[in-house]
Amino acid sequence: MATAATKALRVALRGGGILSHPRFNKGTAFPAAERKAFGLTGRLPYRVNTLEEQCHRAYDQLCTRDTPIRKNTFLQSLKDQNWVLYYALLSRHLKELIPIIYTPTQADAIANYSHLFRRSEGMYLTFPNQDSMEGDFLELTKGRDIQLFVISDAEAILGIGDQGVGGIGIATAKSAIYTLLAGIDPSKAISVTLDLGTDNDDLLNDDLYVGWQNNRVRGLAYDKFVDKFMQLVRKYYPHSLVHFEDFGVSNAKRLLDKYRDQHAVFNDDVQGTGAVTLAAMMSAVGVTKSRLADQRFVVYGAGTAGLGITRQLRDGIVTIDKLSEADANKRFFLMDRYGLIKESLGSNKIRDEVRDFVRPDAEWVGVPTNAQGEVELLEVVKKVKPTVLIGCSTRGGAFTEQVVKEMAKGTERPIILPLSNPSRLAEVNPSDANDWTEGKALMASGSPFPPCKNPKGGKDYIIAECNNALIYPGLGYGALITQARSLTDTMIIAGAQRLALLSPALKDPDNALLPDFTDAREVNFEVAVAVVEQAIDEGSANVTWKKEDVREKIHADMWLPVYPEFIYDEAGER
């Protein structure tokens, strides 16, 4: 059966035009007949290479780069030249190269974006040019079948904060993951940076900064700018998916809530992080033979990610265990820079978005506080006796030996999820938590960590990587292939449940809570199937498929990194 990746394409470009276009360039893999048809015989060396040979050569070249950032720039250059070769190389070395093109190395590339800049990629929409936004939008999208927009305003990038125009780097990385792991045609995706200025003094004072060198726009002007973009998407691409990425805590959930009933939108920091954590938790409660509703959750870090996780777990409890939302909220104890979020912090310290989870002061009478009257982590653990400890704080080492041992006193299999990344910002090294709990802890982390030694002998404990890329490409793909009117909470939970069912720990309780990242493409396929099936069941889908045909439909639509046949046609694609 032909797939979207193997159908012959009619192409209008010739000579240098086709060789310089990353979508159509095959380099030395152009066969003799296509070289003749497209005027390439004298432009290429004689030998015709297979894609496998090209991958071998490219990997050898990559290995000569001695630092992650140099590997990143090499791969970016390869992507600018040849999409098929780029994605084919990544797919053959998935676990090794995802950290190079995505977190953690991409953070360094974004931080140095203006100094590494060589070639633009994607769409740059800048506040001073807002009057020409529609024309600029159409210039890049006209005539294209865009299914996916990945956008960022770059206020909260990958744990490194405000990066201004460099946010295009996270949008392009996320878009690449969609293609690599879910099979979205890269020609049908576009990365967008909303350049509304920056409050990063280093960028404001950098003579080489390529973005708008102005303090960040906020308030009504900000909202109008974002809305102008969203209305263009709704007008010209009503069935597309908009993926919000790395917006600041004051905007991320607010924008998601504003547009989710108008268009299919998704915020990975809010929903993707929450969904993959929900899957890890469902796996963990499968090991402990308990329910989500039986857990006591301490969430250390109540920013965008922490709140997204909390809400997703809460929604999981409501949907799966049938508790009311109010009762589910009581299972959570949230902490931010003011310690435990409780009533007496007052309105100036309690943000609107956390009000569902504020604890009553009556619970904390007699509990020691610090000099500012705040309840710190150790005292919360002593009081709550949590079964689950989740870290989203970017405070490396916050889960101390004393905290972890105190938690282990109150539960047979403590569930510890240090999710901050990169690894230096993780709340605890899993190896330490493993030792301090005598190998009893069930763990997943936000960054890759090596397996932990079993203190009592036996096989090592594999630390699951709670990586959003195990689920968000499948969630997004499921929404866009069905042209869903919205990506609903129930569609996300269906995807998380399918991911949890693939957990190695369900077959062996001492195994990883989530599948290995080398299986990420197959995992995301299953997630997409679950999302599409749920969309059909609940009437969110804008297609008339039967559920028994879902797998075949998805498989046929997926883009794969293989070279299709080209036919020269002056009226063909460009």
Side-chain angles (χ1 to χ4, degrees):
M1 180 180 65
T3 70
T6 57
K7 293 177 183 175
L9 289 179
R10 295 186 175 275
V11 181
L13 299 173
R14 284 178 56 84
I18 196 169
L19 288 177
S20 62
H21 198 302
R23 180 185 177 191
F24 302 116
N25 181 27
K26 299 182 183 180
T28 57
F30 275 106
E34 288 183 7
R35 294 183 183 205
K36 183 176 180 181
F38 289 91
L40 301 175
T41 303
R43 293 175 181 268
L44 292 168
Y46 177 78
R47 169 82 181 274
V48 175
N49 286 129
T50 65
L51 178 58
E52 194 62 44
E53 289 170 336
Q54 288 183 313
C55 285
H56 187 176
R57 178 187 297 124
Y59 186 70
D60 285 348
Q61 293 171 354
L62 176 72
C63 290
T64 66
R65 274 64 179 179
D66 56 359
T67 63
I69 193 65
R70 292 191 67 205
K71 292 178 189 291
N72 177 284
T73 54
F74 171 82
L75 289 170
Q76 180 60 45
S77 176
L78 182 62
K79 183 182 177 186
D80 290 340
Q81 298 169 50
N82 184 328
W83 285 351
V84 169
L85 179 55
Y86 171 78
Y87 287 109
L89 178 64
L90 293 179
S91 67
R92 286 159 173 76
H93 303 277
L94 191 63
K95 199 166 183 177
E96 175 187 356
L97 297 185
I98 286 290
I100 300 296
I101 68 160
Y102 185 42
T103 182
T105 309
Q106 186 68 355
D108 292 332
I110 292 168
N112 291 284
Y113 179 76
S114 292
H115 291 259
L116 296 173
F117 185 86
R118 293 178 182 173
R119 178 178 177 176
S120 60
E121 182 180 19
M123 183 185 298
Y124 302 78
L125 299 178
T126 308
F127 187 77
N129 298 332
Q130 59 186 303
D131 289 344
S132 65
M133 185 188 292
E134 184 165 10
D136 296 338
F137 180 93
L138 292 175
E139 187 70 34
L140 272 77
T141 63
K142 192 173 183 179
R144 295 175 61 181
D145 176 20
I146 304 297
Q147 297 179 341
L148 172 68
F149 291 87
V150 183
I151 70 169
S152 179
D153 75 349
E155 187 176 1
I157 296 286
L158 290 170
I160 58 173
D162 187 340
Q163 297 299 320
V165 77
I168 194 69
I170 192 58
T172 56
K174 289 283 186 173
S175 183
I177 299 295
Y178 269 112
T179 294
L180 184 64
L181 300 184
I184 292 176
D185 185 337
S187 71
K188 297 181 179 182
I190 193 161
S191 305
V192 183
T193 186
L194 304 180
D195 185 359
L196 289 133
T198 177
D199 290 334
N200 184 329
D201 287 338
D202 290 339
L203 300 180
L204 291 172
N205 296 312
D206 185 349
D207 291 340
L208 294 181
Y209 181 60
V210 295
W212 182 43
Q213 223 153 3
N214 199 83
N215 284 113
R216 189 170 280 277
V217 174
R218 300 190 184 276
L220 183 60
Y222 174 95
D223 286 352
K224 285 183 175 179
F225 186 85
V226 174
D227 191 65
K228 189 168 187 176
F229 169 77
M230 287 299 300
Q231 298 316 316
L232 289 173
V233 172
R234 295 185 66 206
K235 178 180 178 180
Y236 293 105
Y237 298 95
H239 299 300
S240 64
L241 174 73
V242 174
H243 175 121
F244 293 110
E245 185 65 30
D246 285 348
F247 283 72
V249 67
S250 62
N251 292 317
K253 182 66 165 53
R254 184 176 65 84
L255 291 175
L256 179 66
D257 290 342
K258 179 177 180 178
Y259 293 108
R260 66 184 310 173
D261 292 330
Q262 302 177 27
H263 193 87
V265 295
F266 177 73
N267 186 305
D268 190 38
D269 307 294
V270 176
Q271 296 163 296
T273 302
V276 75
T277 307
L278 173 60
M281 276 303 310
M282 286 191 286
S283 173
V285 299
V287 171
T288 60
K289 302 294 191 293
S290 60
R291 304 181 305 158
L292 287 172
D294 297 331
Q295 311 309 312
R296 297 179 299 280
F297 299 88
V298 169
V299 181
Y300 188 72
T304 300
L307 276 173
I309 288 168
T310 300
R311 289 194 180 97
Q312 195 68 72
L313 291 171
R314 185 267 313 279
D315 292 347
I317 292 171
V318 171
T319 301
I320 298 167
D321 295 332
K322 309 304 181 186
L323 267 67
S324 69
E325 186 172 294
D327 284 341
N329 288 342
K330 295 175 183 177
R331 271 62 180 170
F332 295 89
F333 299 79
L334 271 58
M335 302 191 66
D336 62 10
R337 58 179 173 153
Y338 302 115
L340 178 74
I341 298 176
K342 58 185 179 71
E343 291 172 341
S344 57
L345 287 180
S347 58
N348 61 327
K349 292 183 178 179
I350 298 175
R351 309 190 314 275
D352 286 342
E353 53 265 36
V354 302
R355 292 197 180 280
D356 286 347
F357 305 100
V358 175
R359 305 303 304 195
D361 283 348
E363 292 179 345
W364 301 91
V365 174
V367 175
T369 61
N370 62 18
Q372 289 74 43
E374 300 159 356
V375 183
E376 297 182 332
L377 179 59
L378 179 60
E379 299 304 328
V380 173
V381 170
K382 287 180 179 179
K383 170 73 175 177
V384 173
K385 296 180 171 50
T387 59
V388 183
L389 186 57
I390 299 173
C392 311
S393 66
T394 67
R395 289 188 58 189
F399 297 170
T400 63
E401 180 175 1
Q402 191 176 7
V403 165
V404 171
K405 285 186 172 180
E406 185 65 37
M407 180 191 182
K409 291 178 184 178
T411 180
E412 179 61 27
R413 297 297 305 267
I415 301 168
I416 302 175
L417 309 179
L419 300 181
S420 293
N421 54 47
S423 54
R424 61 184 173 79
L425 300 181
E427 286 76 12
V428 68
N429 187 309
S431 179
D432 290 334
N434 185 67
D435 291 343
W436 297 335
T437 61
E438 299 181 345
K440 296 178 180 179
L442 297 169
M443 291 181 285
S445 59
S447 297
F449 280 94
C452 298
K453 296 293 183 183
N454 188 327
K456 299 178 181 177
K459 68 178 184 179
D460 293 349
Y461 180 67
I462 298 172
I463 306 301
E465 185 181 350
C466 221
N467 192 322
N468 297 21
L470 283 172
I471 195 167
Y472 85 76
L475 294 176
Y477 188 73
L480 67 84
I481 195 175
T482 59
Q483 299 184 5
R485 290 180 289 275
S486 64
L487 179 53
T488 65
D489 291 338
T490 45
M491 289 162 66
I492 293 171
I493 290 173
Q497 287 179 301
R498 185 65 57 89
L499 174 56
L501 287 174
L502 301 173
S503 166
L506 296 183
K507 295 180 180 179
D508 177 356
D510 293 321
N511 213 326
L513 294 177
L514 293 171
D516 189 86
F517 202 79
T518 54
D519 300 321
R521 188 174 179 95
E522 294 78 11
V523 167
N524 276 287
F525 178 85
E526 292 297 328
V527 170
V529 169
V531 170
V532 172
E533 290 174 345
Q534 179 64 30
I536 292 171
D537 281 344
E538 67 186 43
S540 299
N542 204 27
V543 293
T544 56
W545 299 350
K546 296 179 181 178
K547 286 178 67 174
E548 56 266 30
D549 297 332
V550 167
R551 289 178 178 276
E552 181 180 343
K553 294 285 189 182
I554 293 176
H555 178 76
D557 186 74
M558 292 177 73
W559 185 90
L560 300 172
V562 295
Y563 289 127
E565 177 189 357
F566 288 164
I567 300 169
Y568 181 68
D569 184 345
E570 290 184 354
E573 297 194 53
R574 292 181 175 273

